[in-house]
Amino acid sequence: MKLGKEWWRTVRYAIAEERRTARLVGVLMVIGVIMAVLIVLGQGASVTIG
């Protein structure tokens, strides 16, 4: 019983870590996309102005 409880705690902790990592990756991807869009827009604006 004790082993089962510890195993469940480990599984829950791993799932929480995975979820946190997934959220972090998602945030980083969103930031990367925004930066890419800003760079493209900036280059487009500079090309149009130039």
Side-chain angles (χ1 to χ4, degrees):
M1 188 66 189
K2 187 184 174 198
L3 180 67
K5 205 176 282 185
E6 285 183 6
W7 176 82
W8 177 241
R9 187 184 303 154
T10 305
V11 169
R12 277 204 325 211
Y13 181 75
I15 290 172
E17 281 289 312
E18 220 169 279
R19 201 172 292 158
R20 192 178 308 144
T21 304
R23 191 179 301 145
L24 181 64
V25 169
V27 169
L28 288 176
M29 282 177 60
V30 168
I31 291 173
V33 168
I34 291 172
M35 290 290 287
V37 168
L38 287 177
I39 289 170
V40 168
L41 287 178
Q43 286 181 346
S46 65
V47 167
T48 305
I49 293 168

